[in-house]
């Protein structure tokens, strides 16, 4: 499907393991913002609007950083890129742990940490894993990137425990120490893979980021994957991660069971990503991705019928949606590698991930605006149904196998 670096099996799975751990720490650090928000409101007198705005700024920084992080993988390799991201994340969490002003919070979370979030991201880990495997790429990518959701079940409870028995400063301090401690582990255990974007012969000059960008955007496969992944962001990060719990409250469900259902959704995400990765190696990938989007559309039909039902229906939705939530990641990464090219996979995945973030922002804003205007979420869920169907139709235009010229790169 694509060329890969020559690594031993043990080193290959080391990339998966440390990619999983890095994503677990990065996404848990992001999740800590909502967990600790009430404490900061009491201790510092900050409003939820201010804290949320800093979190939104961090998302914008992540979207901007994503393509450059992908380019960094192309040029400097995955070991250097992951270590840089973990270092920035460690510094950012340390600043937040020591902060005593709004400025320190902005610098720590929306500055250093946000750049770290943008570097230690699923597209970086997916690129690193894909280049390290010649077989079972999809399965390995699914396991490695599942740290983005499943790894939080290992770390977020620890953050909550430190918050309960010590203080929020210890929570961010522990995240900082864990992030910095992972750097020497990655350096000693992960082989420094050679950058694939470098010139391969003396006569072949290295290309600039602008040149690679032009090559990427001229490929129809990139646009099919970019716009489908933007819709993916709208229907997951945008409307579900932002509005599912408020919708559960709107339906009259108690907060604790609703939060438990949301946690179950994240747990099923892990299984869904691994299964999707396993299937990526064995079935028609465009058809698989279209099926995932189609099934996601059906889950929105169930979600729209929740008002007036029991809490068990919310749990059913959590299981079904969790299975098709992050499962698009390993399939999309595999298609980028084969249809856009392994040489520029990092930059291409970074651009596609930025599209996902833009779609997420659009979904979050649209959901809030529609609920304010109509006092219900019907239009949000109905619109999401057709958007998911549209994403499925888009990816069906992809060929099962790339052109021989792209595959050769």
């Amino acid at each position: 499907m694509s060329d890969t670096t020559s690594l031993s099996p043990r080193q290959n799975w080391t990339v998966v393991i440390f990619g999983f751990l890095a994503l677990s720490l990065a996404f848990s650090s992001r999740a800590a913002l909502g967990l600790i928000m009430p404490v900061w409101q009491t201790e510092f007198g900050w409003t939820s609007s201010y804290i949320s705005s800093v979190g939104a700024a961090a998302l914008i920084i992540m979207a901007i950083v994503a393509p450059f992080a992908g380019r960094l993988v192309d040029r400097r390799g995955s070991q250097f890129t992951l270590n840089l991201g973990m270092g920035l994340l460690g510094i950012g969490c340390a600043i937040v742990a020591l902060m005593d002003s709004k400025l320190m919070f902005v610098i720590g979370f929306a500055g250093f940490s946000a750049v770290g979030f943008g570097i230690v991201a699923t597209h970086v880990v997916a690129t690193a894993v894909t280049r390290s495997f010649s077989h079972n790429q999809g399965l390995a990518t699914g396991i490695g990137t599942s740290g983005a959701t499943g790894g939080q079940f290992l770390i977020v409870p620890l953050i909550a425990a430190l918050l309960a028995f010590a203080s929020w400063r210890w929570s961010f301090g522990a995240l900082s120490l864990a992030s910095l401690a992972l750097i020497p582990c990655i350096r000693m255990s992960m082989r420094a893979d050679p950058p694939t974007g470098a010139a391969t012969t003396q006569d072949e000059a290295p290309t600039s980021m602008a040149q690679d960008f032009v090559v990427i955007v001229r490929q129809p496969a990139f646009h099919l994957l970019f716009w489908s992944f933007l819709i993916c962001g709208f229907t997951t990060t945008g409307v579900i991660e932002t509005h599912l719990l408020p919708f559960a409250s709107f339906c009259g469900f108690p907060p604790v069971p609703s939060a438990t259902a949301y946690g179950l959704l994240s747990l099923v995400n892990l299984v869904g990503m691994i299964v999707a990765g396993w299937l990526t190696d064995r079935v028609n990938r465009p058809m698989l991705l279209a099926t995932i989007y189609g099934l996601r559309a059906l889950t929105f039909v169930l979600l729209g019928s929740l008002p007036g039902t029991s809490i068990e229906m919310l749990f059913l939705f959590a299981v079904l949606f969790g299975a098709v939530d992050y499962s698009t990641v390993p399939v999309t990464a595999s298609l980028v590698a084969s249809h856009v090219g392994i040489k520029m996979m990092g930059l291409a995945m970074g651009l596609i991930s930025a599209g996902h973030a833009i779609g997420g922002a659009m979904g979050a804003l649209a959901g809030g605006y529609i609920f304010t205007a109509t006092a219900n979420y019907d239009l949000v869920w109905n619109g999401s149904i057709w958007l998911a169907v549209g994403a499925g139709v888009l990816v069906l235009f992809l060929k099962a196998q790339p052109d021989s010229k792209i595959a050769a790169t």
Side-chain angles (χ1 to χ4, degrees):
M1 191 157 41
S2 58
D3 291 342
T4 54
T5 53
S6 178
L7 298 178
S8 70
R10 177 179 178 275
Q11 290 168 322
N12 285 345
W13 286 105
T14 300
V15 175
V16 175
I17 293 169
F18 283 109
F20 181 96
L21 292 175
L23 288 176
S24 298
L25 286 169
F27 277 73
S28 296
S29 299
R30 288 169 54 183
L33 183 68
L35 187 67
I36 303 176
M37 183 185 298
V39 180
W40 288 338
Q41 290 174 312
T42 301
E43 182 172 336
F44 296 114
W46 296 346
T47 64
S48 59
S49 175
Y50 168 71
I51 300 172
S52 298
S53 67
V54 175
L59 291 174
I60 295 173
I61 296 297
M62 287 170 55
I64 295 172
V65 168
F68 296 96
R71 175 68 172 180
L72 197 60
V73 178
D74 292 336
R75 288 302 182 187
R76 298 298 300 272
S78 54
Q79 185 204 81
F80 174 86
T81 304
L82 285 176
N83 276 340
L84 175 63
M86 297 311 299
L88 291 170
L89 179 59
I91 294 172
C93 288
I95 293 174
V96 174
L98 299 172
M99 71 177 183
D100 56 7
S101 67
K102 289 185 175 181
L103 179 60
M104 288 186 68
F105 178 43
V106 171
I107 293 174
F109 196 85
F112 284 95
S113 292
V115 177
F117 297 150
I119 296 175
V120 186
T122 53
H123 70 281
V124 171
V125 173
T127 302
V129 173
T130 300
R131 288 179 176 165
S132 302
F133 278 76
S134 56
H135 302 287
N136 295 319
Q137 286 180 338
L139 176 61
T141 302
I143 295 173
T145 55
S146 66
T149 177
Q152 296 181 52
F153 281 88
L154 304 174
I155 298 176
V156 172
L158 297 177
I159 297 174
L162 285 172
L163 177 63
F165 296 105
S167 74
W168 62 267
R169 296 186 187 275
W170 281 95
S171 297
F172 271 97
L175 288 169
S176 174
L177 291 175
S179 299
L180 296 174
L182 200 59
I183 294 176
C185 297
I186 293 175
R187 184 172 181 81
M188 289 186 296
S189 302
M190 281 180 59
R191 180 174 173 177
D193 52 317
T196 59
T200 56
T201 68
Q202 292 181 350
D203 297 329
E204 183 184 352
T207 55
S208 66
M209 184 173 178
Q211 289 172 318
D212 286 350
F213 174 81
V214 171
V215 171
I216 290 170
V217 297
R218 284 179 175 176
Q219 300 187 42
F222 167 78
H223 288 280
L224 294 173
L225 292 168
F226 177 88
W227 293 107
S228 64
F229 216 54
L230 184 145
I231 293 173
C232 179
F234 185 101
T235 55
T236 55
T237 304
V239 297
I240 293 300
E241 292 186 14
T242 306
H243 296 287
L244 179 60
L245 291 179
F247 178 63
S249 176
F250 172 80
C251 294
F253 299 141
V256 174
S258 298
T260 304
Y262 188 82
L264 177 62
L265 187 155
S266 299
L267 179 61
V268 177
N269 260 329
L270 182 147
V271 179
M273 293 180 76
I274 295 175
V275 172
W278 182 81
L279 289 172
T280 298
D281 301 319
R282 291 163 173 81
V283 302
N284 181 299
R285 292 171 295 158
M287 184 62 68
L288 172 62
L289 190 54
T291 300
I292 292 172
Y293 284 123
L295 292 174
R296 183 182 295 178
L298 292 177
T299 65
F300 279 108
V301 175
L302 173 62
L303 185 62
S305 65
L306 279 185
T309 61
S310 64
I311 189 69
E312 287 76 16
M313 294 299 292
L314 178 62
F315 278 85
L316 176 61
F317 168 80
V319 172
L320 296 177
F321 186 85
V324 293
D325 186 0
Y326 278 54
S327 57
T328 57
V329 174
V331 194
T332 300
S334 177
L335 288 166
V336 170
S338 60
H339 288 64
V340 179
I342 195 72
K343 177 182 177 181
M344 295 173 287
M345 181 182 176
L347 177 58
M349 282 297 295
L351 292 169
I352 290 172
S353 295
H356 191 279
I358 293 170
M362 293 170 61
L365 290 173
Y369 176 80
I370 289 172
F371 183 78
T372 301
T374 66
N376 62 63
Y377 283 99
D378 292 348
L379 186 58
V380 178
W381 309 141
N382 290 331
S384 297
I385 291 171
W386 293 109
L387 284 172
V389 170
V393 172
L394 277 176
V395 297
L396 284 176
F397 285 96
L398 288 165
K399 298 178 180 178
Q401 296 298 329
D403 295 332
S404 57
K405 182 177 179 181
I406 300 241
T409 61

